[in-house]
Amino acid sequence: MFTEKTRATQPRPGYPRIGVMQGRLSPRPADRLQAFPHETWPDELAIAKRVGLDFVEWIYEAPRARENPLASEAGRRAIVAACAASGTPIGSVCADYFMVRKLAGGSCEERAENVSVLAELIRWTREIGASRILLPLLETSALSTPALVLEASDSLRQVTRVLEYYDVTLGLEMEIAGPEYAAVVRGVGHGRVRAYYDTGNSTAQGFDVGQDISDLLPLLTAVHLKDRRTHGSSVPLGSGDTNFAGLFARLRESGFAGDFLLQHYFDDDPEGAAREALGVVRGLWPAAEAAA
C-alpha cells in the first residue's frame, strides 16, 4: 500500500542526491555506531534502493583493512557487480583509515606510507564508480596545531595529481569553526580538495550550522546530515539541536548542488530509521526553498 511514510521517501525532482553511510542499514555493532559491515554490505545496497536512497558511502577503515573488498581487485569487481544487481551505486568512500594511519603527526616515513595508501585509495574509488573520498580530520586525527595543519596540507598536495588523473574529489571533514575550516581547505591550494561538512559534529561543538557553513559554501562538495545535542551525543534527525531549517535555507540560496549523506542515529530497526531520516530531510528541503 502507498502510505504517507512511503510518499516521504519517494524520489522527487528538485532534491539533491541523498545517500547513506555504510553500516547504517545493518544491525548496529555493540561497541560503536559506525563500522564496515563485512557480512551484510551487499544487503545494504538492496535496502538502500528499497528505501529510496540514491547511493551508499563505502567505509574503508584501518581494522581489517586488507579484508575490505575495496582493497583487492576481486573485491572491487564484486562491489561493481553488487551495485549493478541492486541498482544502487557507491557514490563516495569514507576514509576512516586515516583516523588511525594519519597524514599529519608521526614520523616522515609513516606519513609517506600513508600518503601512498591514499593514492591507492583514489584509484580504487574510481574503479568502483565513485568520484569522492571523505577524509575525516577530527578526533584522533584533528589538526590541533599549526604544525599539524602544515603537515596535512603537504600530504594532501602529494596526491593532487592523482586526484586529477582519476577525476576524484577529496572532501575534508573537520570539527572547527567555519572560517578556520575554510582556511585549512584553501591552504591546500587545489580545487580537488574541498569541504565535506558534518552538521551533527559542528552542532556538538556549539556552532549554529546555518551560520557556520557560510564561509564553506564555495568549497562544499557534500554534507553529512546528523543531529546532535550541543556538546552532546547523536540523536534521531529532527530531535536534537542541529539547525536544519537554517542550514537548508542557506544551502538553497547559495545554489548548493552537492550531495547529502545520511549519517543518522539508529538502534534496532536500521531500515525504519533510514526511512524516517529520509522523510525528515525531504520534509525540510521545501521549507528551505521557501525561505530562500
Side-chain angles (χ1 to χ4, degrees), residues 172 176-187 193-197 202 207-221 223 247 250-251 253-254 256:
L172 309 186
I176 58 178
E180 290 78 13
Y181 188 164
V184 172
V185 177
R186 287 196 176 96
V193 179
R194 302 180 65 78
Y196 197 138
Y197 194 76
S202 293
F207 305 132
D208 179 337
V209 298
Q211 298 299 321
D212 185 56
I213 204 168
S214 296
D215 289 277
L216 294 163
L217 290 170
L219 305 166
L220 200 58
T221 181
V223 178
L247 171 80
R250 193 73 182 90
L251 291 174
E253 72 181 16
S254 74
F256 174 66

Side-chain angles (χ1 to χ4, degrees), residues 226-244:
K226 180 193 301 176
D227 206 348
R228 290 179 66 173
R229 302 288 186 190
T230 302
H231 307 304
S233 57
S234 292
V235 294
L237 284 186
S239 64
D241 295 324
T242 300
N243 180 14
F244 286 112

Side-chain angles (χ1 to χ4, degrees), residues 102-105 111 115 118 135 137 141 143 145-160 163 170 172 174 180-190 193:
K102 301 173 187 176
L103 298 170
R111 291 201 304 275
V115 167
L118 179 56
L135 180 63
L137 296 173
S141 61
L143 306 182
T145 68
L148 289 174
V149 171
L150 289 174
E151 288 180 0
S153 297
D154 178 68
S155 294
L156 296 177
R157 291 188 193 105
Q158 293 179 55
V159 300
T160 53
L163 291 169
L170 194 61
L172 309 186
M174 305 183 73
E180 290 78 13
Y181 188 164
V184 172
V185 177
R186 287 196 176 96
V188 179
H190 197 280
V193 179

